[in-house]
Amino acid sequence: MWIFIVTGVLMVLGYWVLSRCYSYWTRKEVPQLKPFFIFGNFWPIMSRKLSPPEFIEKLYNSTNLRYIGIYQSLRPYLLIRDPELIKQITVKDFDHFLDHVGFVDPEADRLFGRNLFSLKGMKWREMRSTLSPAFTSNKMKYMFSLMSQNGQQFVNHFLEKSEDVIEVEMKDVTSRFANDVIANTVFGFESDSLKEPNNVFYTMGKFATDLTNLRTIMVFLGYVILPKLLRFFKVAFFPKKMTNFFGRIIKENIDSREKYGVKRSDMIGLLLEARKNKHNDDDQTTLPDTGFATVEESEVGKNQKLRKYDITDEDITAQGLVFFFAGFESVSSLMCFMAYELGVNQEIQQKLRNEVDATNEKCDGKVTYEALTTMKYMDMVVSESLREYPNAIATDRICTKSYTIEPNTPDEKPVHLNKGDKIFIPVYAIQRDPQYYPEPERFDPERFNDENKNKIKPYTYSPFGSGPRNCIGSRFALMEIKLLFYNILSNFELIPIEKTQIPIRYSKKAINMAPEKGFWLGLQRRVK
Ligand code: HEM
Ligand SMILES: *[C@@H]1O[C@H](CO)[C@@H](O)[C@H](O)[C@H]1NC(C)=O
């Protein structure tokens, strides 16, 4: 008897809580997608019916409106479809949408919570303006020579092999490259992960960024479904063993530099300068920028007066870590998709190779920063890769100061957003909307030639996000990607092999954009 009453009461209560949660947008008179049980609109991804990018596209396709209310589990988000509105939120009225949502609690994960992506409000402003001088094109030029060593190391490894066609899983080798670049330019740690596959830096990094690892998935889903509970127990996103490791490397590195007065033009070097407030702002010179996709630094980043942050060793470690997390997976993943497209589109590869050869000749075999960044076709190919395969398939903002979206049509009502309301920007789907990019599935670098690139509708192309909270590392990423392909194409042809999955199908198991069967390609030595 009792059991029925209790069950009955619980069910009514549960029903009430759910309908209260799921009427969040309708109570604001905002149209919304119909939520399902406790999963909201994210069931297709939780049940692994759809891959993450397909899922984003499906959400986007579910309406023609400028925006629509959705629920990530119990959490309401406002999905923005309209480019003009994206501009309003991320740029014009940025002050109302300062922060990323971020699901790692600064209290739960001290190190991770302090990084640029997770920092909020004034703390973020100060840190951003402290870090941004380290990412200008001038600083990239310093770092270019460090990165070049890694590029050389990469091709040497394959040139030493005797096979005519070397079968490689691109994700494995580009991860190793991206790892060595970050180790070298950020942590001041030299490694050759192709030669020494199990070096400690690589092992740790791989472990850290393996999004298919069970612990990571559980913690990730946990934060989506029961954020309060996980926060209560201070469940750290990253295992202790790993954060301690990176912390130690940076600490030792800083100590030895300060002790022996070593100078090195890498990220730690730049952050140590920032600490002494000795950034030589030599950025007036006109160096070519890294490419079309580069995002501009806003006034927040450039504001020198904000730069009063006292950077501690722990801060440097936290930033080093975030550069690692933001810049390792994203860069290597983009490289794989680009390699795949070059492999299956031989004419495009040939055209790019011709440009590489011409540049090589101009530079007497030793490519410079200026020569690399001014290669036109290279930039078109990279830009198109970033359009078709934006690694950050969606980005977000959190409303930090109440805001009203004014109606645009007679059907719309004003949308009153409160502090804490969350915004969802479906980058992947916008960049594949046939309205903006005809035949979006087709890989066509000509979309970015001199004539066409200026016709791209503003805010329909944002692989690095937009506004003051955009990607701080866009220059770093573009330079790194171009450098690797320059090196590969100077020495090899990328060709499809039997194991190459054509066309690529996205994995439904990964929590981001990844292929089902890896990225297999052949490296065929060029005859010169
Ligand atoms: C192809 C490679 C990359 C892609 C596609 C990418 C994309 C993005 C996107 C979309 C955002 C969010 C922007 C927004 O919400 O408007 C972001 C933020 C960020 N990225 Fe990247 N990124 C890449 C490489 C890198 C690299 C190499 C670094 C560092 C060395 C980096 C560091 C960061 C940081 C620190 C943030 C947070 C910025 C803030 O909150 O102020 N990223 N990235
Ligand atoms: C979304 O709509 C476009 C055309 O409007 C279509 O080509 C695409 O396949 C749709 N995607 C999904 C996942 O439904």
Side-chain angles (χ1 to χ4, degrees), residues 154-176:
F154 182 93
V155 287
N156 286 347
H157 175 76
F158 293 104
L159 285 173
E160 284 161 16
K161 304 219 171 226
S162 55
E163 302 102 293
D164 183 36
V165 176
I166 310 158
E167 302 201 340
V168 288
E169 203 284 298
M170 288 304 285
K171 186 66 193 183
D172 181 56
V173 298
T174 56
S175 297
R176 290 176 188 280

Side-chain angles (χ1 to χ4, degrees), residues 507-525:
S507 163
K508 295 178 178 151
K509 295 201 191 103
I511 58 177
N512 202 341
M513 183 170 56
E516 268 174 351
K517 302 204 168 148
F519 289 98
W520 284 94
L521 282 175
L523 289 178
Q524 183 167 44
R525 200 185 302 267

Side-chain angles (χ1 to χ4, degrees), residues 54 57-58 61 434:
E54 286 163 336
E57 206 171 286
K58 189 165 175 252
N61 276 9

Side-chain angles (χ1 to χ4, degrees), residues 8-32:
V9 168
L10 280 181
M11 276 170 71
V12 171
L13 208 68
Y15 182 78
W16 183 81
V17 170
L18 274 189
S19 39
R20 181 83 195 150
C21 274
Y22 288 150
S23 60
Y24 189 80
W25 293 118
T26 39
R27 274 182 280 133
K28 285 183 186 284
E29 297 190 87
V30 173
Q32 68 173 38

Side-chain angles (χ1 to χ4, degrees), residues 371-387:
L372 184 73
T373 49
T374 48
M375 287 173 71
K376 273 200 171 156
Y377 198 62
M378 176 72 92
D379 195 44
M380 288 159 60
V381 174
V382 173
S383 301
E384 173 67 347
S385 306
L386 283 162
R387 178 199 66 84

